[in-house]
Amino acid sequence: MVDAVRVEVPARLHLGFLDMEGGLGRRFGSLGLTLDGLGTELTLLRGGPAGDAADRPACRARGYLDRLCAALDVENRFSLRLGRTIPSHSGLGSGTQLALAVGAALSAMTGRPLPPRRVASLLDRGARSGIGVGAFEQGGVILDGGKGALDEPPPVISRMALPETWRMLLVFDDANRGLSGTAETVAFRDLPSFPADKAAYLCRMALMVGLPALAEGDAMRFGAAVTELQSVVGDHFAPAQGGRFSSPDVAEVLRWLPSVGATGVGQSSWGPTGFAIFGDAGSAERAAEGARARWRLQANLRFVVCRGRNRGAVVETLTGHSAVAAGYETVAKKTA
């Protein structure tokens, strides 16, 4: 019997939507990438106290667990322990990754099949984007096919590896939060219609510039494609978030970063977190140090350099002895 399950899931960058017009029967379509060194860790234990301290991520995780147990008709006699978590409302997929982590832990604990896409559907995650599910399952750079007629997360249609040398510089604004929940729903409802010719242009930019550049390891052209995607999408969302980027402080940093070697810049999802793409670690670290010095009086700004991640979640089952599984497919080996 499995006594405990530990799950570690990565954060992700949502680089933008491709087709918000939807005239061909599918709407949105997303490009995103997976981050290493920034994620959520949790442990599900059999029995024990009712749950963690009443902070928001713990309460959210407990709610997900309650709903999944009800869906599987499993008595909820489990406790949750949270370690590090992805910052909430920062545009890095905290809610979806937490939900998928709880689902993976419950599946491994009970032996009941609970695929990530089903977890996302049961917990109302991935309503417009499949990037979170793709990052959880596979990591790397993910392209999804947009929302169609089915009431489930968009399918992943392409997954590619990030070059090991590339780095992402994240720009956090701890004084701001991105839109979520009802505010996000209202924002999407009230946005102006998106022109079909712009949707066609963005699809072409992603498929004929961005992804081929990624395949060739060309950080300059990949970054240029991401910047263009961000410009068009950011301007469309400007009425809802107050500008191309939701945080004026982050926007100022993003305007500066190309001058110190960033190949592409943008905002993940609703932000406020911004990002810059670099072709090598040295350039990213020098840019981060320069940004810390330049904005040293801005206490709300933080700068973190991350690698890309070319694998998905990691699940570890404990049966009184240690057993480890890398990747979403769990393989438990009880040791003597």
Side-chain angles (χ1 to χ4, degrees):
M1 182 193 309
V2 175
D3 298 311
V5 181
R6 287 201 293 260
V7 184
E8 182 263 327
V9 295
R12 57 88 181 126
L13 292 178
H14 190 283
L15 304 181
F17 291 118
L18 303 183
D19 185 352
M20 290 170 286
E21 189 265 345
L24 298 179
R26 306 194 72 91
R27 194 175 178 213
F28 298 117
S30 302
L31 183 67
L33 62 83
T34 313
L35 297 170
D36 200 27
L38 185 66
T40 289
E41 298 174 348
L42 65 79
T43 302
L44 181 69
L45 302 100
R46 193 177 298 279
D52 297 288
D55 57 77
R56 192 176 189 281
C59 290
R60 198 177 196 184
R62 169 57 58 178
Y64 289 150
L65 180 60
D66 289 341
R67 291 169 65 182
L68 290 175
C69 284
L72 294 180
D73 195 24
V74 171
E75 188 174 3
N76 189 355
R77 292 190 173 181
F78 308 109
S79 58
L80 280 168
R81 296 289 180 269
L82 283 183
R84 62 173 179 152
T85 58
I86 300 167
S88 298
H89 305 299
S90 60
L92 300 177
S94 62
T96 295
Q97 297 307 97
L98 181 62
L100 296 177
V102 172
L106 183 62
S107 179
M109 177 72 82
T110 62
R112 302 281 292 274
L114 201 54
R117 286 173 62 80
R118 186 182 176 205
V119 173
S121 294
L122 288 171
L123 299 180
D124 304 316
R125 310 305 308 182
R128 300 176 187 87
S129 170
I131 299 303
V133 173
F136 181 89
E137 291 183 314
Q138 306 176 72
V141 177
I142 307 296
L143 177 69
D144 77 50
K147 190 76 173 178
L150 300 178
D151 187 21
E152 58 184 39
V156 172
I157 59 174
S158 173
R159 183 272 179 192
M160 298 173 67
L162 273 159
E164 293 293 329
T165 57
W166 290 13
R167 296 292 186 272
M168 276 56 66
L169 170 57
L170 305 186
V171 185
F172 290 95
D173 182 351
D174 293 330
N176 283 286
R177 292 158 63 94
L179 293 180
S180 63
T182 301
E184 180 182 15
T185 300
V186 170
F188 273 107
R189 183 197 67 195
D190 293 345
L191 284 172
S193 60
F194 194 78
D197 61 338
K198 285 189 177 181
Y201 172 66
L202 293 182
C203 290
R204 189 179 182 192
M205 184 61 58
L207 295 177
M208 300 306 294
V209 181
L211 294 187
L214 177 65
E216 295 174 346
D218 187 339
M220 290 297 297
R221 285 185 62 78
F222 179 78
V226 169
T227 298
E228 183 65 8
L229 173 63
Q230 285 278 320
S231 298
V232 176
V233 173
D235 288 347
H236 181 70
F237 282 97
Q241 61 184 15
R244 179 175 291 179
F245 305 121
S246 63
S247 164
D249 289 339
V250 171
E252 183 181 356
V253 178
L254 295 182
R255 285 192 293 270
W256 172 78
L257 282 168
S259 70
V260 292
T263 68
V265 297
Q267 170 183 288
S268 183
S269 189
W270 287 106
T273 306
F275 66 85
I277 300 167
F278 291 85
D280 65 274
S283 296
E285 293 291 352
R286 286 190 295 273
E289 286 303 312
R292 292 181 189 114
R294 189 180 181 95
W295 282 277
R296 63 188 178 279
L297 300 181
Q298 295 289 112
N300 58 309
L301 292 178
R302 290 188 294 118
F303 306 93
V304 178
V305 176
C306 292
R307 294 174 180 267
R309 175 165 166 147
N310 290 318
R311 62 173 181 165
V314 174
V315 179
E316 179 184 11
T317 60
L318 303 175
T319 58
H321 301 275
S322 180
V324 178
Y328 181 66
E329 293 298 322
T330 303
V331 181
K333 296 180 180 179
K334 184 174 180 178
T335 59

